[in-house]
């Protein structure tokens, strides 16, 4: 079963942060950070339904204007989610322009701030000049941000001298109907299969499902149908971590968020030879990113957001991250607390695990 996510970095590894995740079957897309997004074509921009902002440093947020320019004439709602302060940041951006000719526009923004135990929200409509309209706060469980039928977003708040959000996007389990069983039983496919899948997702094994069999339809227990008919597979999980200090608190949060992810997109601003400077600037080195990927047992690591000072040295980042990820170098031999975080299970496919692609499969 193919995953419904197709993820690609918008820019090269020395450029601004933006990770585009297309939802294959819905036509919608998600964007994690929006530094410069000139390379993202307009058609892909117009598919966006949600944008997740780690923090509002320019290299993660300056694409806001370009995205607004493209989507403004559309009948669309775009949801931005990020750390505390995002509502003010977006209000400030919007206040920088004049909106006297947009009364008939249908475009609107919803902005969500992830606070410790609640979500603060506001909306901005083009039709009233993007005046800020407060929405009621929503309580939220730890680590959760958004749940939709097609994806779930979880967050961890990291220390970048300001709060910086890391994200994980996961898809629901894949429930596939065994066609050969359907045929053997003489059951006709139809909307009852969607009802069965909904019951399986909700864990309602006792729900009665009307099955259109040859002759008389029969009522059957969802649990019995599930065991006979449904292949249940875990969905894909992608973690996105940028701009953070390598210390025990942050590392624990990242490892918990990225645990067993299919892919971890991680910043690696510095090479480990410059680890003191990385610490001063609250950024990761390539080696630290490799360690976090190994500790979390992720299947694949993509490093990016390299400092321009290393221009032409992308391979050194991949080599350093990979050596740590496969355990050739072991950061826990040098950092006392690191051993407590390492997942004892081996990584999935070490030989091919860290992408050597200089641009991480970016989107055209
Ligand atoms: Zn930053
Ligand atoms: Zn940055």
């Amino acid at each position: 079963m193919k995953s419904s996510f197709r993820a690609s970095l918008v820019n090269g590894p020395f450029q601004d942060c933006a990770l585009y995740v297309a939802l294959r079957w819905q036509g919608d897309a998600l964007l994690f950070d929006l530094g410069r997004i000139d390379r993202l074509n307009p058609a892909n921009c117009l598919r966006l339904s949600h944008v997740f902002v780690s923090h509002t440093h320019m290299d993660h947020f300056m694409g806001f204007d370009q995205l607004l320019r493209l989507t403004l004439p559309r009948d669309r709602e775009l949801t931005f989610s990020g750390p505390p302060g995002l509502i003010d940041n977006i209000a400030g951006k919007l206040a920088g322009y004049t909106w006297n000719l947009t009364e008939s526009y249908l475009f609107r923004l919803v902005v969500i701030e992830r606070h410790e135990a609640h979500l603060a929200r506001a909306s901005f409509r083009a039709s009233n000049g993007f005046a800020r309209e407060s929405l009621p706060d929503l309580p939220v469980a730890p680590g959760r941000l958004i749940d939709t039928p097609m994806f779930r977003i979880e967050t961890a708040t990291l220390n970048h001298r300001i709060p910086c959000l890391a994200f994980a996007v996961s898809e629901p389990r894949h429930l596939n109907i065994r066609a050969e069983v359907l045929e053997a039983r003489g059951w006709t496919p139809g909307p009852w299969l969607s009802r069965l899948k909904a019951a399986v997702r909700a864990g309602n094994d006792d729900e009665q499902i009307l099955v259109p069999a040859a002759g008389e339809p029969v009522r059957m227990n969802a649990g019995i149908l599930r065991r006979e008919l449904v292949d249940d597979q875990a969905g894909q999980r992608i973690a996105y971590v940028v701009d953070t200090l390598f210390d025990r608190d942050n590392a624990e949060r990242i490892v918990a968020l990225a645990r067993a992810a299919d892919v971890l997109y991680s910043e690696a601003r510095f090479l480990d030879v410059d680890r003191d400077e990385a610490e001063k600037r609250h950024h990761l080195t390539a080696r630290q990113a490799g360690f976090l990927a190994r500790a979390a047992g992720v299947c694949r690591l993509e490093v990016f957001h390299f400092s321009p000072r290393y221009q032409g040295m992308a391979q050194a980042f991949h080599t350093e991250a990979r050596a740590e990820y496969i355990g050739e170098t072991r950061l826990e031999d040098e950092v006392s607390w690191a051993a407590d975080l390492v997942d004892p299970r081996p990584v999935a496919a070490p030989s091919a695990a860290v992408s050597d692609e200089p641009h991480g499969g970016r989107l055209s």
Side-chain angles (χ1 to χ4, degrees):
M1 176 72 191
K2 276 193 169 174
S3 159
S4 55
F5 297 156
R6 187 168 156 265
S8 347
L9 290 167
V10 172
N11 298 311
F14 289 96
Q15 292 156 350
D16 288 2
C17 290
L19 174 69
Y20 187 86
V21 178
L23 305 179
R24 210 185 287 258
W25 317 123
Q26 289 69 49
D28 285 354
L30 318 175
L31 189 62
F32 294 86
D33 278 340
L34 68 171
R36 284 189 68 157
I37 53 168
D38 327 44
R39 303 175 82 130
L40 192 57
N41 74 42
N44 284 335
C45 279
L46 292 173
R47 294 175 64 187
L48 292 170
S49 60
H50 289 76
V51 180
F52 301 96
V53 181
S54 62
H55 63 304
T56 50
H57 282 164
M58 249 186 133
D59 52 330
H60 297 255
F61 192 50
M62 67 174 282
F64 177 89
D65 287 32
Q66 190 180 356
L67 182 57
L68 178 64
R69 177 81 181 88
L70 266 169
T71 44
L72 182 62
R74 308 283 168 148
D75 177 5
R76 275 195 82 90
E77 181 174 293
L78 201 49
T79 300
F80 279 76
S81 304
L86 184 66
I87 295 173
D88 281 346
N89 285 132
I90 286 183
K93 285 257 186 200
L94 294 167
Y97 296 99
T98 305
W99 304 108
N100 63 316
L101 297 174
T102 56
E103 298 93 336
S104 60
Y105 285 36
L106 299 169
F107 177 73
R108 64 265 177 216
L109 286 167
V110 173
V111 187
I112 300 174
E113 289 180 356
R114 180 57 170 102
H115 292 252
E116 204 170 315
H118 73 279
L119 304 177
R121 300 179 304 150
S123 75
F124 300 86
R125 284 179 289 135
S127 59
N128 71 352
F130 287 115
R132 175 178 178 155
E133 299 168 47
S134 291
L135 299 170
D137 289 351
L138 289 178
V140 69
R144 292 292 178 82
L145 180 65
I146 288 179
D147 262 302
T148 79
M150 299 324 302
F151 62 87
R152 164 178 294 174
I153 303 285
E154 291 160 85
T155 63
T157 300
L158 306 177
N159 173 11
H160 178 44
R161 241 185 265 153
I162 50 169
C164 177
L165 292 188
F167 299 98
V169 54
S170 52
E171 60 185 335
R173 299 132 68 190
H174 294 297
L175 301 179
N176 300 317
I177 301 296
R178 296 182 190 122
E180 69 285 0
V181 177
L182 268 188
E183 202 179 317
R185 296 271 186 274
W187 294 338
T188 321
W192 67 278
L193 289 173
S194 302
R195 283 195 289 278
L196 172 61
K197 285 185 182 181
V200 172
R201 282 191 202 291
N204 294 338
D205 270 358
D206 292 336
E207 189 172 324
Q208 294 295 298
I209 307 280
L210 195 61
V211 181
E216 277 294 288
V218 285
R219 260 179 210 291
M220 290 184 69
N221 191 294
I224 292 170
L225 289 167
R226 173 175 61 77
R227 285 188 287 276
E228 269 199 76
L229 263 182
V230 180
D231 273 329
D232 190 347
Q233 294 169 9
Q236 200 186 5
R237 182 175 179 84
I238 298 170
Y240 175 86
V241 172
V242 290
D243 293 25
T244 189
L245 176 69
F246 187 75
D247 68 0
R248 183 175 188 136
D249 280 356
N250 277 346
E252 279 178 353
R253 289 178 192 142
I254 292 166
V255 167
L257 183 77
R259 173 77 65 205
D262 296 273
V263 50
L264 164 64
Y265 287 88
S266 175
E267 71 131 337
R269 196 71 175 151
F270 295 92
L271 289 172
D272 211 56
V273 65
D274 295 319
R275 116 176 33 156
D276 291 347
E277 189 162 356
E279 187 177 340
K280 254 186 250 157
R281 293 173 180 261
H282 284 49
H283 273 288
L284 297 177
T285 69
R287 185 176 174 195
Q288 291 162 349
F291 168 78
L292 293 167
R294 174 160 54 87
V298 307
C299 297
R300 188 161 65 91
L301 169 66
E302 293 273 358
V303 283
F304 69 110
H305 206 24
F306 310 156
S307 164
R309 73 164 70 178
Y310 304 103
Q311 200 66 245
M313 296 170 64
Q315 195 54 48
F317 283 81
H318 295 295
T319 303
E320 183 177 298
R322 182 172 185 278
E324 184 67 35
Y325 172 69
I326 64 174
E328 249 173 43
T329 59
R330 290 166 48 87
L331 211 141
E332 58 270 42
D333 295 340
E334 298 170 34
V335 178
S336 58
W337 51 260
D340 302 344
L341 272 61
V342 176
D343 188 329
R345 290 168 294 181
V347 292
S351 60
V354 179
S355 171
D356 282 337
E357 287 294 315
H359 298 297
R362 69 169 186 272
L363 205 79
S364 59

